Structures are given as structure tokens and as C-alpha cells.
Amino acid sequence: SACKFMFFIRGNEGKVVFDNTNVTPDPAEETNGDIRIVGWRDGFHCKENRAQLVWKDCNLEWVYDDIFNICCSMLRVDKVSGKDIELIWPETNGKYGFIKEGDTVSFYGTGGEKLGSSKVKSANGDKIVIEDELAGIEKNVWVAVDSLSAQNSQILNCKIKGTIRFRTPMYIYNSDIHVTRMWLAFEMAGGRYLEGPCPHDILFSNTRFTFDNTNDKYIEIFSSSSSAEKK
């Protein structure tokens, strides 16, 4: 059990595989049929990863927050002059420092609307030069570094019970998911977009879903600039 994240996965390159890695209660901890919570926070909290993350044959359940939160931190434009952009990291008010030449960055307006994407031509700390001059890029525009969101990660042959947040291209195959809530969302919290990018290209294949009841099937697909859509 863990008082914070089970796994805090950050700053990885290449490929990271979790094979037969289970987050689940010890049967010996069951009391009168009640299962105790295994962890207080996320099972896998994944940010700022260029790595492809792969879960194979895992049993994941009973954490008090998300089983998965796979994303990148949202940044904000502080200064802009043409293709030269200086960024700030609102979540920490500290230096970000993860961006490299060749990364892809996406820009979003204050209402969540996408303004465009571009490759990073050069990076010096949190000062970047992008390849394309995009319309609407100004102070306080939000920025996601798409290539730091563990793109093309996979969940294969897994059993999952809990809440899930996906914000990156994902492939989920041959898995059983008992959904207490799933967000495929670009969401604002406290008036700020803290995590990105806007989700896209998430494929569920041969995956079986169950829910707590038949009335509330909590799979939410939305952007905070529009009304939530429950399916």
C-alpha cells in the first residue's frame, strides 16, 4: 500500500514495460468481505515521458484516486515575439526544463480551443523557438508538449477497476475495465488547465466494460470549453 502515488513515472525515454505488475489488495487484508483501499493516490501517475509505457497482464484496482493518469503538464505563454516564446509552469511556479529540439507543442486559447501545433526548432530551458508562426499565440495562451505525454502507450490483457484519465494517443487491447469513472477529457481545474494535451487517437479494441449500475455509465468525453458528453 502507498500513502501517495503507487508509481510516479516521469522523465523517461525509450520504452517502459510493466509485465504482470499488480496493484491489488492482499487477500489476507480482507475483513468480513470488505476490501481495504490499496493506495491513497494514483496507481500510475505518468507525466513528462517521451517513453512509450506498456502494461501487460496486470490486475489494477482499489486505489482511491485514478488507476492511470497519463498526460503532460500544461505550460503557459509568458512572452512571445514571432516564433520566439518564453514559457512558465503555473502548477509549480518553477522551471520546467524538459523541452528539447524536435518536440511537438500544441497551443490552446484560454477557453480550451486549439490554436495550432508546431515543432520546436530550438530550446533553451523554458525559452523555445518554434518552426511555424501561428496566429493567436499571445501571453497566457496554454501550451502542451505533446511528445512528453507518453504517446502511443499500450494497455494489453489487463483487468482494471477504478477511475482512468487518458490525454494521449493510447491503445487498449483485450482488457476488462470496470469503470467507476473514465475521463477522455481536456479539463479545467480551479480556472487553470494543469494537464494536457487534448485527448485524441485513443483506441479500445476487444475491451469489455462494466459499470457500477446501468444508469450511470461514467465515460466522459469533453473539453472544458464545451459541455460534458456522457456515453
Side-chain angles (χ1 to χ4, degrees):
S1 61
C3 61
K4 291 191 177 180
F5 302 133
M6 285 286 179
F7 295 89
F8 184 26
I9 304 166
R10 185 184 186 208
N12 295 284
E13 309 273 343
K15 186 175 182 178
V16 178
V17 179
F18 295 90
D19 191 352
N20 195 32
T21 303
N22 300 321
V23 175
T24 190
D26 185 335
E29 293 184 347
E30 294 186 24
T31 305
N32 298 323
D34 296 327
I35 298 179
R36 300 177 182 177
I37 292 170
V38 178
W40 179 247
R41 297 293 304 276
D42 294 346
F44 296 89
H45 190 83
C46 313
K47 280 187 175 181
E48 280 68 71
N49 293 284
R50 288 187 180 81
Q52 180 193 37
L53 308 177
V54 180
W55 290 265
K56 296 170 56 181
D57 301 305
C58 299
N59 187 11
L60 311 168
E61 60 181 352
W62 292 110
V63 297
Y64 198 66
D65 206 339
D66 300 318
I67 298 290
F68 298 102
N69 185 359
I70 306 173
C71 63
C72 63
S73 295
M74 288 293 282
L75 309 175
R76 220 169 185 174
V77 172
D78 188 36
K79 298 177 183 178
V80 58
S81 177
K83 300 177 185 179
D84 295 76
I85 299 170
E86 189 169 337
L87 303 169
I88 56 175
W89 190 8
E91 187 175 0
T92 67
N93 293 319
K95 294 186 181 299
Y96 188 67
F98 285 95
I99 306 174
K100 295 181 179 180
E101 178 185 343
D103 278 335
T104 300
V105 290
S106 291
F107 297 86
Y108 301 91
T110 54
E113 68 280 11
K114 189 170 182 179
L115 302 174
S117 300
S118 182
K119 293 274 190 182
V120 174
K121 187 176 180 180
S122 64
N124 181 9
D126 294 342
K127 296 180 180 180
I128 64 172
V129 180
I130 59 176
E131 292 183 355
D132 307 291
E133 191 162 345
L134 302 174
I137 309 304
E138 57 187 22
K139 185 178 176 66
N140 292 329
V141 159
W142 295 95
V143 185
V145 187
D146 299 72
S147 40
L148 282 170
S149 63
Q151 293 183 316
N152 304 313
S153 290
Q154 299 179 353
I155 296 171
L156 310 173
N157 308 312
C158 292
K159 293 184 178 180
I160 301 163
K161 180 178 183 179
T163 67
I164 298 170
R165 294 176 186 266
F166 291 150
R167 293 186 180 87
T168 193
M170 292 281 302
Y171 179 51
I172 302 93
Y173 173 73
N174 197 37
S175 294
D176 293 299
I177 303 178
H178 183 85
V179 179
T180 52
R181 189 175 292 267
M182 184 186 296
W183 291 270
L184 310 180
F186 185 55
E187 58 190 314
M188 182 176 282
R192 300 184 296 170
Y193 294 99
L194 296 180
E195 297 172 341
C198 188
H200 61 93
D201 296 310
I202 298 169
L203 174 62
F204 295 89
S205 176
N206 196 38
T207 295
R208 295 156 293 280
F209 294 95
T210 56
F211 302 87
D212 286 339
N213 60 70
T214 57
N215 295 323
D216 296 317
K217 297 184 177 182
Y218 284 120
I219 298 178
E220 298 192 41
I221 304 170
F222 71 94
S223 166
S224 286
S225 62
S226 63
S227 59
E229 180 181 353
K230 292 183 181 180
K231 291 184 180 283

